[in-house]
Amino acid sequence: QRHTVGEVVYSARYDSTARIEAETICPKNGWVYRVWLLSEKWSQYAYQPAEELASLEHLRKLGVRV
């Protein structure tokens, strides 16, 4: 799944919410995103493939504030 720059997602690798900062395509891994990890535990940039990131949009549609 493609994400958009500025979107807040869930990072499975870091168990943290993250903001998409940039995207690129890698021939080996497909879409790779530079994210800023929003958890106080991390507060750092990371690079992650799309399959390790989950959209939070369906939760927003249910009224959950994320």
Side-chain angles (χ1 to χ4, degrees), residues 13-48:
R13 180 184 296 183
Y14 294 97
D15 189 24
S16 171
T17 53
R19 184 178 52 250
I20 304 289
E21 296 290 324
E23 67 179 357
T24 188
I25 191 156
C26 174
K28 195 174 195 179
N29 297 321
W31 288 103
V32 175
Y33 295 91
R34 183 179 71 161
V35 298
W36 176 256
L37 300 169
L38 297 170
S39 169
E40 288 181 22
K41 176 181 176 182
W42 298 107
S43 294
Q44 67 183 32
Y45 285 105
Y47 287 88
Q48 290 194 257

Side-chain angles (χ1 to χ4, degrees), residues 7-10 17-18 54-61 64 66:
E7 180 182 358
V8 175
V9 296
Y10 173 74
T17 53
S55 175
L56 300 176
E57 193 57 37
H58 64 285
L59 295 176
R60 287 187 193 94
K61 289 179 181 177
V64 176
V66 290

